[in-house]
Amino acid sequence: MPDISDISRLSINLATVRERYKITEALDAVARHGIPAVAPWRDQIAQIGLKATRQHIHKLGLKVSGVCRGGMFPARDKAGFAANLADNARALEEAIELEADCLVLVVGGMPEGSRDLQGARQQVQDGIAWLVEKAKPSGTRIAIEPLHPMYCADRSVVNTMAQALDICDAVGGTVGVACDVYHVWWDPNLREQIARAGASRLHAFHICDWLRNTKDLLLDRGMMGDGVIDIRQIRTWVEAEGYVKFHEVEIFSKDDWWKRDIDDVLATCIQRHRDCC
Ligand code: ZN
């Protein structure tokens, strides 16, 4: 069995160091620690522009495990939906330019003032079908990231792996899932849904931990090993399907990890990835 906790599998989602560091500082630090891959957010790319981001990543020899993010499809009216599609086309261009393993989708919640959950879910499926068609010439993988149900109103009406895979089944093409342990660890059907996805539809694997005493549902994610998730178990299920891509550390932590020095954060990511994942 290969050493799957090797640093060669590690990627840093740049949200993990977003508060104190510009994208160039973050990329330099990741490379300095010998970590082979990153996942930038679009607002971070915008700090220096797409071309400069691409050049900096190439110069450092980093790979891109994903671009965050596309999605946010549901809108109140047709014009709003069309605008959301246009934004997704731009996100796709960024993923193509950076040769990312995938474009991650946070699909969007309920439009302001709406109680039409089924309608929102239909818009999500229609939007993904449109985007997957758009991604065909480049072959770019589109990764639906199901979000924990607590985000259903404002961020994602897709809340389980099963629901995401139902959309994948309906749409086909290069669409698959981003399996983020923070969102799916509680799901009693997780193992069977990972198997249902299979290697061809497991596009990304995101790691962090769920703190028993979570203080903020968005911005208090834990470092691997500090919470309740059996990350190694989930990783084993994912790898058993033949997943060979990156383990991407994604930690939103406004009162803890975001306040720390980047070298401290990255050294801890390397150590915890080795010991707890
Ligand atoms: Zn994630």
Side-chain angles (χ1 to χ4, degrees):
M1 189 143 161
D3 178 7
I4 35 198
S5 295
D6 188 86
I7 195 171
S8 68
R9 306 296 303 281
L10 188 58
S11 175
I12 302 296
N13 185 302
L14 296 184
T16 307
V17 292
R18 68 171 304 130
E19 278 297 280
R20 291 179 52 191
Y21 300 95
K22 289 204 169 73
I23 186 169
T24 44
E25 297 170 306
L27 291 170
D28 290 345
V30 167
R32 190 164 70 237
H33 282 261
I35 296 166
V38 292
W41 284 65
R42 293 182 64 204
D43 65 303
Q44 294 174 310
I45 295 168
Q47 289 170 7
I48 57 171
L50 183 55
K51 287 267 171 344
T53 302
R54 179 191 154 97
Q55 281 166 6
H56 205 92
I57 286 171
H58 272 228
K59 189 182 77 187
L60 295 169
L62 295 170
K63 295 202 164 63
V64 178
S65 57
V67 165
C68 293
R69 56 178 160 58
M72 296 293 169
F73 292 107
R76 297 175 66 162
D77 52 34
K78 275 188 174 171
F81 185 65
N84 292 345
L85 293 185
D87 191 52
N88 274 275
R90 290 190 290 274
L92 176 63
E93 285 307 314
E94 296 182 21
I96 293 169
E97 184 77 16
L98 297 180
E99 298 172 57
D101 278 354
C102 62
L103 172 64
V104 174
L105 300 185
V106 171
V107 300
M110 308 281 286
E112 196 78 35
S114 169
R115 291 192 176 85
D116 183 8
L117 179 55
Q118 294 319 314
R121 286 182 167 150
Q122 189 60 52
Q123 288 190 64
V124 165
Q125 182 162 325
D126 293 347
I128 291 171
W130 179 90
L131 183 61
V132 167
E133 191 62 31
K134 195 103 185 146
K136 253 186 191 163
S138 64
T140 307
R141 296 186 196 90
I142 305 298
I144 305 171
E145 181 163 334
L147 260 54
H148 190 285
M150 67 186 172
Y151 298 119
C152 191
D154 61 343
R155 279 192 170 73
S156 176
V157 293
V158 173
N159 307 105
T160 62
M161 290 277 283
Q163 203 190 343
L165 286 165
D166 286 347
I167 296 173
C168 295
D169 285 348
V171 170
T174 59
V175 67
V177 293
C179 177
D180 185 327
V181 299
Y182 190 74
H183 297 300
V184 300
W185 68 276
W186 56 273
D187 184 347
N189 298 313
L190 180 56
R191 184 181 190 172
E192 69 193 43
Q193 293 303 319
I194 286 172
R196 177 184 166 197
S200 65
R201 298 195 293 187
L202 286 166
H203 291 345
F205 180 52
H206 297 175
I207 54 176
C208 68
D209 216 332
W210 184 286
L211 301 175
R212 174 172 282 278
N213 254 332
T214 296
K215 296 186 187 78
D216 183 303
L217 295 176
L218 184 63
L219 302 177
D220 190 25
R221 292 188 181 206
M223 177 62 69
M224 297 84 74
D226 288 343
V228 302
I229 304 177
D230 189 344
I231 303 167
R232 185 162 293 175
Q233 175 68 87
I234 299 173
R235 187 260 292 154
T236 302
W237 292 339
V238 167
E239 311 263 342
E241 295 308 317
Y243 179 84
V244 292
K245 295 192 283 277
F246 289 104
H247 308 156
E248 181 182 311
V249 179
E250 185 183 35
I251 301 175
F252 302 82
S253 171
K254 73 174 161 54
D255 291 329
D256 189 353
W257 296 99
W258 280 0
K259 296 204 156 144
R260 302 200 195 194
D261 180 82
I262 196 165
D263 288 309
D264 173 21
V265 176
L266 295 179
T268 309
C269 287
I270 291 169
Q271 182 226 323
R272 299 296 185 84
H273 174 248
R274 189 181 60 226
D275 297 344
C276 310
C277 300

